[in-house]
Amino acid sequence: MGALLFYIFQSTLCLVLLYFLFRMFFRTDTLFRTNRIVLLVGAACCTLLPFMQCNVSTAPMLQQPISIVRNILIPETENPKTTGDIHVEAVTVSATAESNKVMKEETGTGQIVWQPPFSISWSTFLGIFYISGAGIALLFFSLSTWRMWRLIHRYPGCSHKKYRLIVCPEKISSFSWGNTIVLSQEDYNQYADAILLHEEIHLQYRHTLDLIGMEILIIFHWFNPAVWLLMRELREIHEYEADYGVLAHGIDATQYQLLLVRKSVGTRLYSMASGLTHSKLKNRINMMLRRRTNNWARLKLLLFVPVAAATLMAFALPEVKKTVEQVVKPESMKQTSSPQEEWELLEQFFARKKQDALKEQVSKAGKSGETHAVFINMRNQVMVDNERNPTTGWKENSDFIRTQLSALLKKGYQKATKNNSPFRPELTVHYDRGTQTGAATLYLATIKDVYLRLRKEVAKDKGLNEAALDKAFPILVTFAEPQTTKEATVKNRKTSLPIEVRLVHSNGTELKTLKNISINELKKEIIACKASAGDNLTVRFKVQPDMWIGIVKDVKEAIAEAYIEK
């Protein structure tokens, strides 16, 4: 919904610019065909221009307000999934898909968490309001078209040249639509020649198609005054074209203008129809008397080139966005001695970013900077500094971490900026051996997402690249040794564990798949395969989201022992 609203916002700006340009430079010209093309092609380009994205190295001033609206309507979210190459593919699938499943089903301690029966965000409300308005505009358009269709088919028609002519006994203003001309009996008896010629020119120039296209645009931009004004300008151009065509066929200009004066007061036409009285009388008479505009005036069309370029520049995305998002892209993680679970890849991401910060001469926070801590117990409950979330639901705890950590980091950064001092926050993550891998993965991904969101805001505000971000807003996250929990330890190395291990050769050949085996059996199988495959052996295993981190660490230690054992 946010993407749709932002697109409507962009196209609205384009349509407003189109109207002001037309009003300032083209409206008084007598190059009616050119003006008509300007409105129709311009309106089409305004709907397509937001889809044309380009990137710029630096963010210009024009881009700042557009970026603000973009961030409001489209909250930027990073994909919390971190995957590696083929060596960790299997682990990624199980840890991510299963954790999402558990998040939906709840981990279940019998605890009932109250949630409001109905909640709606302001962006969703705005989207519903917009769609409702579009629906009402479509309803009025449909009713007007239906009323006109009913009138056309109420009375018999006859053939007039290549068009269909309907003479209506009702006192209505003449109009044309499609290939049909409708006249009142009075107009047909008194002014048939001029009015029929006028309506024939409307049909000859296919003005109906113009009106259909503009009506569709109005449905999508019902709230935009510029679109309604563009429709009015287009109708006037239609009448100018028809008037000029009538005079070109030899109709006396004075008599024709008197006819317009007589017919200036009439019933309201249908929105889809073209008609004799569907424009301002004074403007039409002035345009008939105006001297023809020189063809060189078409050079004014070149004005749209810089305007379109400036608009594209305002809609452009800064290259810093790509630079910041590079940290989210999967990186090649070559596995040599032990398998790597998704939560471990997240730990490695934080370690890597800490090294990047050290390269930028960012020291550890210690006493000179702020420190924070995230605690995860064996029930998967979390505490950020001194604030504790009582629920055991993974999603609720993830949202709690996001809210608390975002507030702490924002406050610290604002304080450091105000005092003109370096921002050096250090975050320590503590978890028990009994913490489930799925919960740990989700929580670490949330922490990563918080940092990346805030760094993006800083990057866009300051125009920083990735290296400068590592200095201005470093990611300094460390992990404490998991607390010992007896329940989360493999009591017997002969006990079968719910794991699936695949032994694969580096050329992609799968040597063996092991399921529900003990640690001792796993070691024997690895040693046997290593004897034949040597250093080309790769071990992969799936980690279920409900498995304790302590057991996973025990399995990893056993695999490491098997690798180094001769």
Side-chain angles (χ1 to χ4, degrees):
M1 184 61 72
L4 172 63
L5 293 177
F6 183 62
Y7 164 74
I8 294 297
F9 168 76
Q10 290 178 298
S11 56
T12 296
L13 289 182
C14 295
L15 289 166
V16 171
L17 285 174
L18 173 65
Y19 173 72
F20 279 110
L21 282 175
F22 180 84
R23 183 83 180 181
M24 293 173 62
F25 299 104
F26 296 91
R27 188 170 185 269
T28 58
D29 293 348
T30 59
L31 301 174
F32 307 129
R33 182 65 59 86
T34 300
N35 288 357
R36 180 183 168 199
I37 293 174
V38 167
L39 288 182
L40 295 176
V41 176
C45 291
C46 287
T47 61
L48 298 176
L49 199 63
F51 292 110
M52 301 175 61
Q53 292 292 341
C54 61
N55 296 284
V56 292
S57 56
T58 58
M61 291 298 295
L62 284 173
Q63 201 177 89
Q64 299 301 324
I66 305 297
S67 298
I68 293 173
V69 177
R70 180 189 289 114
N71 294 335
I72 293 174
L73 295 178
I74 310 178
E76 296 179 0
T77 58
E78 295 290 340
N79 186 353
K81 301 177 183 179
T82 305
T83 60
D85 60 6
I86 188 172
H87 296 283
V88 295
E89 189 177 72
V91 176
T92 302
V93 171
S94 64
T96 303
E98 292 297 329
S99 61
N100 289 339
K101 179 180 178 182
V102 174
M103 283 169 56
K104 294 177 181 178
E105 295 177 353
E106 272 295 344
T107 53
T109 59
Q111 187 176 15
I112 299 176
V113 180
W114 181 87
Q115 291 186 353
F118 179 76
S119 61
I120 184 172
S121 64
W122 70 268
S123 59
T124 303
F125 174 79
L126 189 61
I128 294 174
F129 177 73
Y130 164 75
I131 293 175
S132 300
I136 294 174
L138 177 61
L139 178 62
F140 276 100
F141 167 72
S142 302
L143 287 175
S144 177
T145 305
W146 177 75
R147 289 174 56 238
M148 181 178 60
W149 182 89
R150 187 180 61 174
L151 177 63
I152 289 175
H153 290 79
R154 182 185 302 172
Y155 303 104
C158 61
S159 177
H160 174 75
K161 297 182 181 180
K162 58 181 179 179
Y163 307 112
R164 180 169 177 257
L165 173 63
I166 296 176
V167 179
C168 177
E170 299 178 16
K171 189 174 181 179
I172 62 170
S173 296
S174 63
F175 67 89
S176 58
W177 185 80
N179 68 335
T180 303
I181 300 175
V182 179
L183 270 71
S184 67
Q185 186 69 52
E186 179 184 350
D187 289 342
Y188 183 75
N189 294 334
Q190 299 180 16
Y191 316 107
D193 293 341
I195 295 179
L196 279 175
L197 182 58
H198 180 95
E199 301 303 338
E200 287 172 16
I201 294 173
H202 276 306
L203 299 184
Q204 179 184 346
Y205 289 158
R206 301 183 184 276
H207 289 165
T208 301
L209 296 179
D210 298 359
L211 297 177
I212 292 175
M214 194 60 70
E215 285 287 352
I216 293 174
L217 190 63
I218 285 178
I219 291 173
F220 286 98
H221 288 268
W222 56 269
F223 59 91
N224 186 0
V227 178
W228 296 90
L229 294 173
L230 288 172
M231 170 65 100
R232 187 184 68 181
E233 298 291 345
L234 182 62
R235 285 191 180 280
E236 289 190 355
I237 291 174
H238 286 175
E239 298 307 321
Y240 298 157
E241 276 191 313
D243 293 339
Y244 183 74
V246 169
L247 299 181
H249 279 75
I251 299 294
D252 182 73
T254 302
Q255 294 299 321
Y256 182 68
Q257 292 167 6
L258 288 175
L259 172 62
L260 294 181
V261 173
R262 293 190 191 101
K263 306 302 295 182
S264 60
V265 179
T267 57
R268 185 179 183 274
L269 285 177
Y270 304 102
S271 63
M272 283 291 296
S274 300
L276 186 73
T277 62
H278 221 324
S279 186
K280 293 182 179 179
L281 178 61
K282 181 180 178 181
N283 291 344
R284 292 172 65 178
I285 294 177
N286 287 338
M287 199 61 71
M288 291 183 211
L289 301 175
R290 187 182 297 275
R291 184 179 179 181
R292 295 292 291 175
T293 304
N294 192 291
N295 289 332
W296 287 100
R298 291 188 175 93
L299 291 177
K300 290 187 289 186
L301 293 172
L302 296 177
L303 290 170
F304 286 100
V305 176
V307 173
T311 305
L312 282 175
M313 184 68 67
F315 293 164
L317 299 175
E319 288 182 355
V320 67
K321 178 177 181 179
K322 287 188 174 181
T323 304
V324 175
E325 286 183 342
Q326 287 175 355
V327 298
V328 188
K329 294 180 180 179
E331 298 186 11
S332 178
M333 303 295 297
K334 209 166 186 179
Q335 182 168 346
T336 55
S337 60
S338 64
Q340 301 173 14
E341 297 77 15
E342 188 178 355
W343 54 269
E344 186 180 23
L345 292 177
L346 287 166
E347 287 185 348
Q348 292 179 359
F349 163 80
F350 289 117
R352 190 165 59 252
K353 295 308 296 179
K354 189 172 183 178
Q355 290 297 323
D356 293 341
L358 293 175
K359 290 179 183 178
E360 298 298 326
Q361 299 180 351
V362 177
S363 61
K364 293 181 64 176
K367 296 181 180 180
S368 60
E370 60 178 280
T371 59
H372 305 289
V374 173
F375 299 90
I376 311 171
N377 65 15
M378 64 181 300
R379 293 184 178 180
N380 304 315
Q381 296 173 305
V382 299
M383 183 168 68
V384 179
D385 286 355
N386 296 322
E387 295 292 331
R388 177 176 175 272
N389 193 31
T391 182
T392 58
W394 293 9
K395 184 178 185 304
E396 290 79 3
N397 282 320
S398 174
D399 294 340
F400 177 77
I401 292 175
R402 187 185 308 277
T403 301
Q404 295 295 322
L405 186 58
S406 296
L408 291 172
L409 293 177
K410 281 184 179 179
K411 182 179 179 181
Y413 178 75
Q414 292 170 356
K415 181 179 178 181
T417 303
K418 182 178 180 180
N419 297 333
N420 198 23
S421 59
F423 181 54
R424 302 292 182 264
E426 183 169 346
L427 177 67
T428 305
V429 178
H430 306 260
Y431 48 76
D432 292 341
R433 285 176 60 90
T435 302
Q436 292 175 318
T437 56
T441 300
L442 179 62
Y443 299 162
L444 294 185
T446 302
I447 294 173
K448 175 183 175 181
D449 182 58
V450 169
Y451 272 98
L452 294 181
R453 281 173 179 244
L454 297 179
R455 281 163 62 96
K456 270 193 177 180
E457 293 178 7
V458 174
K460 290 180 178 180
D461 183 45
K462 303 293 186 180
L464 305 178
N465 58 22
E466 184 67 12
L469 273 178
D470 289 331
K471 187 173 183 180
F473 202 114
I475 300 178
L476 299 171
V477 179
T478 57
F479 297 88
E481 186 67 24
Q483 297 183 13
T484 302
T485 305
K486 293 182 179 180
E487 292 82 358
T489 305
V490 179
K491 298 179 180 179
N492 189 336
R493 295 175 74 87
K494 295 181 180 182
T495 303
S496 295
L497 301 175
I499 61 176
E500 178 181 325
V501 181
R502 296 173 58 211
L503 306 180
V504 183
H505 194 278
S506 59
N507 60 14
T509 304
E510 186 167 330
L511 303 177
K512 189 171 290 189
T513 299
L514 309 172
K515 295 183 179 180
N516 299 321
I517 62 173
S518 66
I519 287 181
N520 287 342
E521 291 172 340
L522 176 61
K523 286 184 62 176
K524 290 179 182 179
E525 294 290 349
I526 293 175
I527 292 172
C529 287
K530 190 171 182 291
S532 58
D535 294 336
N536 294 320
L537 177 65
T538 298
V539 179
R540 312 174 191 167
F541 74 98
K542 290 184 179 180
V543 179
Q544 299 300 326
D546 58 348
M547 184 175 289
W548 294 330
I549 286 179
I551 294 180
V552 175
K553 286 187 172 291
D554 291 342
V555 173
K556 284 177 54 183
E557 290 175 3
I559 295 175
E561 292 173 3
Y563 262 85
I564 63 176
E565 189 169 330
K566 296 182 179 180

